[in-house]
Amino acid sequence: MNLILLGPPGAGKGTQSQRLADARGLVQLSTGEMLRAAVKAGTEIGLKAKAVMESGGLVSDDIVIGIIADRIKKPDCADGFILDGFPRTLAQAVGLDKLLKDSGTSMDAVIEMKVDDSAMIERIVGRFSCSNCGAGYHDTFQQPKTEGVCDKCGKSDFTRRADDNEETVKSRLMAYYRETAPLIGYYFAKDKLRAVDGMAPIDGVSRQIGAVLDEIQKA
Ligand code: ADP
Ligand code: ADP
Ligand code: ZN
């Protein structure tokens, strides 16, 4: 099964993708993670993307479509993947359609995570993750079971993203409304769109997504 999780920064795409990857064996493809890895490694793509990401803008369509094109060809994606943070523009959505068509596969569903913008700043400013395994946490909404220890891997090093501050979040929200929100109409017209209430607690959102996927699998 191939899925897209769609929603503004802080909607819970990464959190739910991680859970789907664990529960259903789908591969999580986060363009944000891939770009951060490229910045860290100092590759050519990383050098191009760094300043744009720090300011909360969008990296060019060519770069991200290229990254996804290389990644979905890999054998581990054959059993299904979740796109987390891609596509983010209409040009990326059209590019993705072409990639899928060329590889003889298709998208099963686009899950729109409906949230209140006013809650996104608190979610993002409180976000952190395990430096070792990438597990996601929040100061208030998703604390590790034992303070200072990762639930998943037991390590004690955590990290916060440079762009997870209030000013940058506002630019990212604007980029979302300008460039990404039109994809809701695009996928509705293709009859792929399924909405869930992203303001529910994390477990509740997972249950809603699970119900959508079970329904699709039955159909
Ligand atoms: P996105 O990938 O869409 O930017 P994340 O999954 O990283 O969002 O979630 C942003 C922050 O909000 C994280 O710290 C996460 O722990 C927290 N979070 C995710 N889903 C919920 C939820 N349903 N309720 C409260 N907090 C949440
Ligand atoms: P969030 O889900 O919190 O918005 P991401 O980790 O998905 O954050 O993305 C972080 C940054 O990486 C974005 O603000 C943007 O600069 C860049 N980025 C990630 N995915 C894309 C994409 N598909 N197109 C353009 N830029 C992207
Ligand atoms: Zn960990």
Side-chain angles (χ1 to χ4, degrees), residues 16-179:
Q16 297 299 334
S17 301
Q18 272 183 1
R19 287 179 161 216
L20 284 168
D22 293 346
R24 300 201 180 226
L26 302 172
V27 179
Q28 176 186 3
L29 304 180
S30 159
T31 40
E33 289 298 332
M34 295 175 203
L35 289 167
R36 278 188 289 282
V39 170
K40 204 171 167 194
T43 64
E44 198 182 319
I45 285 177
L47 292 174
K48 283 188 188 151
K50 189 170 188 278
V52 182
M53 292 173 77
E54 276 170 2
S55 71
L58 293 181
V59 174
S60 79
D61 291 331
D62 290 350
I63 290 183
V64 286
I65 293 171
I67 293 179
I68 288 293
D70 290 342
R71 188 61 187 87
I72 63 176
K73 274 189 228 142
K74 301 247 165 85
D76 63 336
C77 288
D79 293 333
F81 53 81
I82 312 156
L83 293 171
D84 158 15
F86 178 92
R88 258 174 153 100
T89 65
L90 277 172
Q92 291 176 24
V94 171
L96 175 63
D97 283 345
K98 183 167 183 310
L99 287 177
L100 294 173
K101 197 165 169 231
D102 291 350
S103 58
T105 174
S106 63
M107 203 44 71
D108 294 287
V110 177
I111 311 233
E112 182 202 353
M113 310 189 64
K114 285 186 172 285
V115 289
D116 299 341
D117 299 332
S118 57
M120 294 307 104
I121 295 180
E122 187 185 6
R123 280 203 193 170
I124 287 193
V125 172
R127 165 161 69 186
F128 61 99
S129 63
C130 173
S131 317
N132 179 51
C133 74
Y137 295 99
H138 190 280
D139 292 328
T140 311
F141 306 125
Q142 198 186 5
Q143 296 166 333
K145 289 191 184 83
T146 306
E147 203 190 323
V149 181
C150 177
D151 297 345
K152 264 199 173 169
C153 75
K155 293 270 164 49
S156 301
D157 270 336
F158 296 93
T159 166
R160 287 179 195 261
R161 281 166 48 181
D163 61 341
D164 277 354
N165 59 72
E166 198 162 336
E167 302 84 90
T168 310
V169 175
K170 286 183 181 157
S171 307
R172 285 155 61 196
L173 273 172
M174 292 215 291
Y176 176 79
Y177 282 102
R178 199 166 44 233
E179 304 280 358

